[in-house]
Amino acid sequence: MVSHEVDLMVIGGIVLTADQDWNIYEPGEVAVDGGAIVGLGSREEVERAYRGRERIDASGKLVMPGLINAHTHAPMTLFRGIADDLPLETWLHEYIWPAEAKWLSPDFVRLGTQLAAAEMIRSGTVLFCDMYFFEDDIAEACQEAGLRVVVGGALVDFPNANYKTPKEGLQYSEDLLRKWSDDSLVVPSVQPHSPYAASSELMQQGKALADQYDAPYLLHVSETRSEVRESIEKYGRTPVGRLADLDVLSPSTVAIHGVHLTDEDIELLAQYETGVVHCPESQLKLASGLTPVPKLLEAGVKVGLGTDSAASNNDLDMFGEMATAARVHKMIAGDPTAMPARQALSMATLEAARVLGLDDRLGSLEVGKRGDIIILDLDAPHLVPMYNVTSHLVYAAHSSDVRTVIIDGRVVMRDRELLTLDEGEIFARAREIARQIVASWGSN
Ligand SMILES: [Zn+2]
């Protein structure tokens, strides 16, 4: 039998595929060519069929799909810790929105994205779904960093640094869809901010645009009690009910948060096959409540995990998010069997990809899928011994255990060295921006 030459082989180690059947190969091997996984299985089998131009030895390590952060606002890393311990409305209206009005620019967004990209790659995240302003600059920064991203310009009714009118916002979204539709790393989407910050008309026009380009459509929904109360007062419907009436719920629609949901809301989400993103640490920190994940799963609703922004979390660490999700839902349910480790890990891999409509090519290690692979060190006291790899990943592993990160077949971090980003320069520039922000407070 002739062996085929491929770009890259990850050799040995425990290969956790996180596929539908939760296949594990020990020792396993992965062959990647042209950015895609072409061979996967037991070490012997793959070794016979392929030889790699580049070989990464993963003996004694864990090989698994990279994590997916299904919702964040990456550039807000530059506002990390700017205002904490406040209710969502106060935090947003008195701190975040004024700071954004004063500081946002394409350069600011690009730098914040580079900082976020460094943090995410270091913590094993290979794809994040972003909603913010100047998303074209975010797309470019991610392309340079070799990091996969779903970009969506926040559509809001009010003027902002990115555009003056909702019509210009829609045009910006359409330009993103046109420019990035065929990119290998960037997936364009349409993202109205929320039913309270975008008019019915804007949400509907955004949905028509998303459908025209077959793109994901995401918005924050039912995050706080007051949002739901005001929606009922103003429209006689919960936010989810209103979205159903507006005909914007669909399998490609994603409700971010979905904290305060009625039984009817959950039925609607299931009926329209609309996914939900749960951001446990942000929801806990803002005390906005918690997405009823077990109820949603029971109803057959897709659920993925996200960090939300570094201003409300305050990090972009998906290991932390999995650990928190698995623990907090046990406590809420008063049931230690609720949210098992495998469920939490799925919500940061294959289920997150399903929510974003990308599970045909991302979210698990399978032949035909893109080569988004992370390698974790297992030689650490907190990981020894190991009876169950999945429970270790959720209850014991740290993001700093991630050694090597491969995205679309390209090594972007090798043995904890970032290959695509200059951290020294990024840190210096981020600290300088923070110094300017603090100095501006003094002059007010
Ligand atoms: Zn958010």
Side-chain angles (χ1 to χ4, degrees), residues 2 10 76 82 86 122 146 160 173 194 201 231 234 241 248 264 273 280 319 353 361 377 381 394 407 437 440 442:
V2 185
V10 179
M76 292 180 79
I82 199 169
L86 295 165
R122 281 203 176 282
N160 55 73
S173 293
S194 58
E201 197 188 11
S231 176
K234 211 165 159 189
V248 300
E264 194 207 344
E273 297 175 47
F319 280 89
R361 52 197 167 112
D377 204 352
V394 174
I407 301 174
I437 290 174
S440 78

PDB file of all heavy atoms in Angstrom, residues 2 10 76 82 86 122 146 160 173 194 201 231 234 241 248 264 273 280 319 353 361 377 381 394 407 437 440 442:
ATOM      1  N   VAL A   2       0.574   2.210  -0.899  1.00  0.00           N
ATOM      2  CA  VAL A   2       1.365   3.440  -1.000  1.00  0.00           C
ATOM      3  C   VAL A   2       0.804   4.461  -0.028  1.00  0.00           C
ATOM      4  O   VAL A   2      -0.412   4.628   0.066  1.00  0.00           O
ATOM      5  CB  VAL A   2       1.271   4.020  -2.438  1.00  0.00           C
ATOM      6  CG1 VAL A   2       2.177   5.222  -2.587  1.00  0.00           C
ATOM      7  CG2 VAL A   2       1.597   2.952  -3.456  1.00  0.00           C
ATOM      8  N   VAL A  10      -0.471  14.874  13.117  1.00  0.00           N
ATOM      9  CA  VAL A  10      -0.371  14.971  14.579  1.00  0.00           C
ATOM     10  C   VAL A  10      -0.316  13.530  15.067  1.00  0.00           C
ATOM     11  O   VAL A  10      -1.266  12.766  14.881  1.00  0.00           O
ATOM     12  CB  VAL A  10      -1.571  15.732  15.174  1.00  0.00           C
ATOM     13  CG1 VAL A  10      -1.458  15.787  16.692  1.00  0.00           C
ATOM     14  CG2 VAL A  10      -1.657  17.142  14.586  1.00  0.00           C
ATOM     15  N   MET A  76     -13.700  44.558  23.030  1.00  0.00           N
ATOM     16  CA  MET A  76     -13.949  45.065  24.382  1.00  0.00           C
ATOM     17  C   MET A  76     -12.923  44.562  25.394  1.00  0.00           C
ATOM     18  O   MET A  76     -12.970  44.944  26.563  1.00  0.00           O
ATOM     19  CB  MET A  76     -15.379  44.723  24.829  1.00  0.00           C
ATOM     20  CG  MET A  76     -16.406  45.491  24.011  1.00  0.00           C
ATOM     21  SD  MET A  76     -18.100  45.146  24.493  1.00  0.00           S
ATOM     22  CE  MET A  76     -18.237  46.178  25.968  1.00  0.00           C
ATOM     23  N   ILE A  82     -13.087  47.933  33.263  1.00  0.00           N
ATOM     24  CA  ILE A  82     -13.282  49.394  33.304  1.00  0.00           C
ATOM     25  C   ILE A  82     -14.404  49.766  34.286  1.00  0.00           C
ATOM     26  O   ILE A  82     -14.383  50.830  34.899  1.00  0.00           O
ATOM     27  CB  ILE A  82     -13.570  49.948  31.887  1.00  0.00           C
ATOM     28  CG1 ILE A  82     -13.311  51.458  31.815  1.00  0.00           C
ATOM     29  CG2 ILE A  82     -14.964  49.630  31.416  1.00  0.00           C
ATOM     30  CD1 ILE A  82     -13.325  52.014  30.389  1.00  0.00           C
ATOM     31  N   LEU A  86     -21.819  46.159  38.687  1.00  0.00           N
ATOM     32  CA  LEU A  86     -22.945  47.061  38.413  1.00  0.00           C
ATOM     33  C   LEU A  86     -24.059  46.301  37.694  1.00  0.00           C
ATOM     34  O   LEU A  86     -23.796  45.327  37.007  1.00  0.00           O
ATOM     35  CB  LEU A  86     -22.489  48.212  37.497  1.00  0.00           C
ATOM     36  CG  LEU A  86     -21.456  49.189  38.076  1.00  0.00           C
ATOM     37  CD1 LEU A  86     -20.850  50.026  36.961  1.00  0.00           C
ATOM     38  CD2 LEU A  86     -22.117  50.070  39.127  1.00  0.00           C
ATOM     39  N   ARG A 122      -4.331  31.297  22.965  1.00  0.00           N
ATOM     40  CA  ARG A 122      -3.657  30.727  24.149  1.00  0.00           C
ATOM     41  C   ARG A 122      -4.556  29.803  24.950  1.00  0.00           C
ATOM     42  O   ARG A 122      -4.086  28.880  25.602  1.00  0.00           O
ATOM     43  CB  ARG A 122      -3.160  31.852  25.070  1.00  0.00           C
ATOM     44  CG  ARG A 122      -1.871  32.483  24.590  1.00  0.00           C
ATOM     45  CD  ARG A 122      -1.126  33.159  25.722  1.00  0.00           C
ATOM     46  NE  ARG A 122       0.145  33.661  25.260  1.00  0.00           N
ATOM     47  CZ  ARG A 122       1.222  32.896  25.071  1.00  0.00           C
ATOM     48  NH1 ARG A 122       1.187  31.608  25.331  1.00  0.00           N
ATOM     49  NH2 ARG A 122       2.339  33.431  24.621  1.00  0.00           N
ATOM     50  N   GLY A 146      -4.667  34.285  11.875  1.00  0.00           N
ATOM     51  CA  GLY A 146      -4.956  32.887  11.534  1.00  0.00           C
ATOM     52  C   GLY A 146      -6.057  32.300  12.398  1.00  0.00           C
ATOM     53  O   GLY A 146      -6.147  31.084  12.562  1.00  0.00           O
ATOM     54  N   ASN A 160     -23.622  55.722  15.615  1.00  0.00           N
ATOM     55  CA  ASN A 160     -22.449  55.259  16.356  1.00  0.00           C
ATOM     56  C   ASN A 160     -21.209  55.555  15.534  1.00  0.00           C
ATOM     57  O   ASN A 160     -21.304  56.077  14.421  1.00  0.00           O
ATOM     58  CB  ASN A 160     -22.592  53.767  16.671  1.00  0.00           C
ATOM     59  CG  ASN A 160     -22.846  52.952  15.409  1.00  0.00           C
ATOM     60  OD1 ASN A 160     -21.940  52.757  14.615  1.00  0.00           O
ATOM     61  ND2 ASN A 160     -24.087  52.542  15.196  1.00  0.00           N
ATOM     62  N   SER A 173     -23.339  45.846   6.719  1.00  0.00           N
ATOM     63  CA  SER A 173     -23.510  44.380   6.842  1.00  0.00           C
ATOM     64  C   SER A 173     -23.456  43.723   5.475  1.00  0.00           C
ATOM     65  O   SER A 173     -22.839  42.661   5.313  1.00  0.00           O
ATOM     66  CB  SER A 173     -24.849  44.044   7.508  1.00  0.00           C
ATOM     67  OG  SER A 173     -24.839  44.466   8.844  1.00  0.00           O
ATOM     68  N   SER A 194     -30.272  43.777  19.492  1.00  0.00           N
ATOM     69  CA  SER A 194     -31.308  43.199  20.359  1.00  0.00           C
ATOM     70  C   SER A 194     -32.658  43.773  19.946  1.00  0.00           C
ATOM     71  O   SER A 194     -32.712  44.799  19.270  1.00  0.00           O
ATOM     72  CB  SER A 194     -31.028  43.590  21.822  1.00  0.00           C
ATOM     73  OG  SER A 194     -30.989  45.020  21.915  1.00  0.00           O
ATOM     74  N   GLU A 201     -38.485  46.957  12.102  1.00  0.00           N
ATOM     75  CA  GLU A 201     -38.139  47.067  10.682  1.00  0.00           C
ATOM     76  C   GLU A 201     -36.668  46.684  10.436  1.00  0.00           C
ATOM     77  O   GLU A 201     -36.357  45.936   9.509  1.00  0.00           O
ATOM     78  CB  GLU A 201     -38.386  48.515  10.259  1.00  0.00           C
ATOM     79  CG  GLU A 201     -38.459  48.709   8.782  1.00  0.00           C
ATOM     80  CD  GLU A 201     -38.512  50.195   8.407  1.00  0.00           C
ATOM     81  OE1 GLU A 201     -38.274  51.055   9.288  1.00  0.00           O
ATOM     82  OE2 GLU A 201     -38.764  50.470   7.229  1.00  0.00           O
ATOM     83  N   SER A 231     -40.889  44.785  26.940  1.00  0.00           N
ATOM     84  CA  SER A 231     -41.401  44.254  25.673  1.00  0.00           C
ATOM     85  C   SER A 231     -42.896  43.948  25.790  1.00  0.00           C
ATOM     86  O   SER A 231     -43.677  44.263  24.890  1.00  0.00           O
ATOM     87  CB  SER A 231     -40.625  42.985  25.292  1.00  0.00           C
ATOM     88  OG  SER A 231     -41.157  42.412  24.127  1.00  0.00           O
ATOM     89  N   LYS A 234     -44.829  47.262  25.939  1.00  0.00           N
ATOM     90  CA  LYS A 234     -44.833  48.011  24.675  1.00  0.00           C
ATOM     91  C   LYS A 234     -45.504  47.260  23.521  1.00  0.00           C
ATOM     92  O   LYS A 234     -46.201  47.846  22.711  1.00  0.00           O
ATOM     93  CB  LYS A 234     -43.360  48.296  24.308  1.00  0.00           C
ATOM     94  CG  LYS A 234     -43.167  49.579  23.543  1.00  0.00           C
ATOM     95  CD  LYS A 234     -41.698  49.987  23.547  1.00  0.00           C
ATOM     96  CE  LYS A 234     -41.411  50.930  22.399  1.00  0.00           C
ATOM     97  NZ  LYS A 234     -39.978  51.187  22.238  1.00  0.00           N
ATOM     98  N   GLY A 241     -41.591  35.955  21.579  1.00  0.00           N
ATOM     99  CA  GLY A 241     -42.898  35.969  20.909  1.00  0.00           C
ATOM    100  C   GLY A 241     -42.937  37.031  19.823  1.00  0.00           C
ATOM    101  O   GLY A 241     -43.449  36.802  18.717  1.00  0.00           O
ATOM    102  N   VAL A 248     -38.762  36.376  12.158  1.00  0.00           N
ATOM    103  CA  VAL A 248     -37.294  36.325  12.066  1.00  0.00           C
ATOM    104  C   VAL A 248     -36.692  35.117  12.787  1.00  0.00           C
ATOM    105  O   VAL A 248     -35.481  34.944  12.806  1.00  0.00           O
ATOM    106  CB  VAL A 248     -36.623  37.637  12.572  1.00  0.00           C
ATOM    107  CG1 VAL A 248     -37.089  38.826  11.742  1.00  0.00           C
ATOM    108  CG2 VAL A 248     -36.862  37.858  14.046  1.00  0.00           C
ATOM    109  N   GLU A 264     -43.774  29.043  26.621  1.00  0.00           N
ATOM    110  CA  GLU A 264     -44.163  29.285  25.218  1.00  0.00           C
ATOM    111  C   GLU A 264     -42.943  29.720  24.395  1.00  0.00           C
ATOM    112  O   GLU A 264     -42.783  29.296  23.243  1.00  0.00           O
ATOM    113  CB  GLU A 264     -45.259  30.371  25.150  1.00  0.00           C
ATOM    114  CG  GLU A 264     -45.921  30.415  23.789  1.00  0.00           C
ATOM    115  CD  GLU A 264     -46.507  31.772  23.418  1.00  0.00           C
ATOM    116  OE1 GLU A 264     -46.687  32.626  24.316  1.00  0.00           O
ATOM    117  OE2 GLU A 264     -46.747  31.993  22.214  1.00  0.00           O
ATOM    118  N   GLU A 273     -36.501  25.809  15.366  1.00  0.00           N
ATOM    119  CA  GLU A 273     -35.118  25.285  15.383  1.00  0.00           C
ATOM    120  C   GLU A 273     -34.090  26.397  15.553  1.00  0.00           C
ATOM    121  O   GLU A 273     -33.015  26.390  14.937  1.00  0.00           O
ATOM    122  CB  GLU A 273     -34.822  24.472  14.115  1.00  0.00           C
ATOM    123  CG  GLU A 273     -35.701  23.238  13.989  1.00  0.00           C
ATOM    124  CD  GLU A 273     -35.486  22.513  12.668  1.00  0.00           C
ATOM    125  OE1 GLU A 273     -34.329  22.308  12.300  1.00  0.00           O
ATOM    126  OE2 GLU A 273     -36.501  22.180  12.016  1.00  0.00           O
ATOM    127  N   PRO A 280     -22.517  31.767  30.706  1.00  0.00           N
ATOM    128  CA  PRO A 280     -22.751  31.655  32.149  1.00  0.00           C
ATOM    129  C   PRO A 280     -21.999  32.682  33.001  1.00  0.00           C
ATOM    130  O   PRO A 280     -22.575  33.266  33.920  1.00  0.00           O
ATOM    131  CB  PRO A 280     -22.317  30.229  32.476  1.00  0.00           C
ATOM    132  CG  PRO A 280     -21.524  29.743  31.320  1.00  0.00           C
ATOM    133  CD  PRO A 280     -22.019  30.500  30.127  1.00  0.00           C
ATOM    134  N   PHE A 319     -12.422  27.306  28.745  1.00  0.00           N
ATOM    135  CA  PHE A 319     -12.287  26.269  29.775  1.00  0.00           C
ATOM    136  C   PHE A 319     -13.039  26.701  31.031  1.00  0.00           C
ATOM    137  O   PHE A 319     -13.746  25.922  31.662  1.00  0.00           O
ATOM    138  CB  PHE A 319     -10.810  25.984  30.087  1.00  0.00           C
ATOM    139  CG  PHE A 319     -10.171  25.072  29.078  1.00  0.00           C
ATOM    140  CD1 PHE A 319      -9.563  25.593  27.949  1.00  0.00           C
ATOM    141  CD2 PHE A 319     -10.216  23.697  29.242  1.00  0.00           C
ATOM    142  CE1 PHE A 319      -8.991  24.751  27.000  1.00  0.00           C
ATOM    143  CE2 PHE A 319      -9.652  22.842  28.305  1.00  0.00           C
ATOM    144  CZ  PHE A 319      -9.034  23.378  27.173  1.00  0.00           C
ATOM    145  N   ALA A 353     -20.928  24.650  17.106  1.00  0.00           N
ATOM    146  CA  ALA A 353     -20.880  24.704  15.637  1.00  0.00           C
ATOM    147  C   ALA A 353     -22.275  24.533  15.045  1.00  0.00           C
ATOM    148  O   ALA A 353     -22.638  25.199  14.072  1.00  0.00           O
ATOM    149  CB  ALA A 353     -19.934  23.620  15.110  1.00  0.00           C
ATOM    150  N   ARG A 361     -18.600  21.451   8.833  1.00  0.00           N
ATOM    151  CA  ARG A 361     -17.145  21.522   8.636  1.00  0.00           C
ATOM    152  C   ARG A 361     -16.345  21.813   9.900  1.00  0.00           C
ATOM    153  O   ARG A 361     -15.129  21.756   9.884  1.00  0.00           O
ATOM    154  CB  ARG A 361     -16.802  22.549   7.563  1.00  0.00           C
ATOM    155  CG  ARG A 361     -17.419  23.907   7.761  1.00  0.00           C
ATOM    156  CD  ARG A 361     -17.352  24.675   6.431  1.00  0.00           C
ATOM    157  NE  ARG A 361     -18.182  25.847   6.456  1.00  0.00           N
ATOM    158  CZ  ARG A 361     -17.719  27.078   6.430  1.00  0.00           C
ATOM    159  NH1 ARG A 361     -16.441  27.309   6.378  1.00  0.00           N
ATOM    160  NH2 ARG A 361     -18.547  28.100   6.457  1.00  0.00           N
ATOM    161  N   ASP A 377      -1.206  19.509  27.186  1.00  0.00           N
ATOM    162  CA  ASP A 377      -0.236  18.815  28.014  1.00  0.00           C
ATOM    163  C   ASP A 377      -0.991  18.062  29.113  1.00  0.00           C
ATOM    164  O   ASP A 377      -1.920  18.595  29.700  1.00  0.00           O
ATOM    165  CB  ASP A 377       0.668  19.878  28.659  1.00  0.00           C
ATOM    166  CG  ASP A 377       2.005  19.304  29.042  1.00  0.00           C
ATOM    167  OD1 ASP A 377       2.168  18.081  28.946  1.00  0.00           O
ATOM    168  OD2 ASP A 377       2.882  20.096  29.431  1.00  0.00           O
ATOM    169  N   PRO A 381       0.401  18.205  37.651  1.00  0.00           N
ATOM    170  CA  PRO A 381      -0.148  17.537  38.847  1.00  0.00           C
ATOM    171  C   PRO A 381      -1.671  17.554  38.899  1.00  0.00           C
ATOM    172  O   PRO A 381      -2.282  16.588  39.354  1.00  0.00           O
ATOM    173  CB  PRO A 381       0.459  18.345  40.009  1.00  0.00           C
ATOM    174  CG  PRO A 381       1.214  19.476  39.416  1.00  0.00           C
ATOM    175  CD  PRO A 381       1.386  19.239  37.967  1.00  0.00           C
ATOM    176  N   VAL A 394     -13.312  19.263  31.713  1.00  0.00           N
ATOM    177  CA  VAL A 394     -14.299  20.202  32.252  1.00  0.00           C
ATOM    178  C   VAL A 394     -14.017  20.563  33.709  1.00  0.00           C
ATOM    179  O   VAL A 394     -14.166  21.713  34.109  1.00  0.00           O
ATOM    180  CB  VAL A 394     -15.727  19.622  32.080  1.00  0.00           C
ATOM    181  CG1 VAL A 394     -16.765  20.496  32.768  1.00  0.00           C
ATOM    182  CG2 VAL A 394     -16.048  19.477  30.596  1.00  0.00           C
ATOM    183  N   ILE A 407      -5.125  25.857  13.300  1.00  0.00           N
ATOM    184  CA  ILE A 407      -6.398  26.330  12.746  1.00  0.00           C
ATOM    185  C   ILE A 407      -6.341  26.264  11.225  1.00  0.00           C
ATOM    186  O   ILE A 407      -5.427  26.799  10.607  1.00  0.00           O
ATOM    187  CB  ILE A 407      -6.715  27.768  13.216  1.00  0.00           C
ATOM    188  CG1 ILE A 407      -6.785  27.838  14.748  1.00  0.00           C
ATOM    189  CG2 ILE A 407      -8.033  28.255  12.598  1.00  0.00           C
ATOM    190  CD1 ILE A 407      -6.958  29.234  15.318  1.00  0.00           C
ATOM    191  N   ILE A 437      -7.389  56.464  28.429  1.00  0.00           N
ATOM    192  CA  ILE A 437      -8.769  56.444  28.909  1.00  0.00           C
ATOM    193  C   ILE A 437      -8.828  56.971  30.349  1.00  0.00           C
ATOM    194  O   ILE A 437      -9.645  57.823  30.688  1.00  0.00           O
ATOM    195  CB  ILE A 437      -9.368  55.012  28.820  1.00  0.00           C
ATOM    196  CG1 ILE A 437      -9.573  54.632  27.334  1.00  0.00           C
ATOM    197  CG2 ILE A 437     -10.686  54.909  29.583  1.00  0.00           C
ATOM    198  CD1 ILE A 437     -10.023  53.203  27.088  1.00  0.00           C
ATOM    199  N   SER A 440      -8.356  60.668  30.536  1.00  0.00           N
ATOM    200  CA  SER A 440      -9.512  61.440  30.073  1.00  0.00           C
ATOM    201  C   SER A 440     -10.545  61.597  31.185  1.00  0.00           C
ATOM    202  O   SER A 440     -11.293  62.550  31.208  1.00  0.00           O
ATOM    203  CB  SER A 440     -10.141  60.790  28.850  1.00  0.00           C
ATOM    204  OG  SER A 440     -10.929  59.667  29.237  1.00  0.00           O
ATOM    205  N   GLY A 442      -9.842  62.137  34.309  1.00  0.00           N
ATOM    206  CA  GLY A 442      -9.363  63.234  35.126  1.00  0.00           C
ATOM    207  C   GLY A 442      -9.717  64.606  34.538  1.00  0.00           C
ATOM    208  O   GLY A 442      -9.945  65.561  35.265  1.00  0.00           O
TER     209      GLY A 442
END
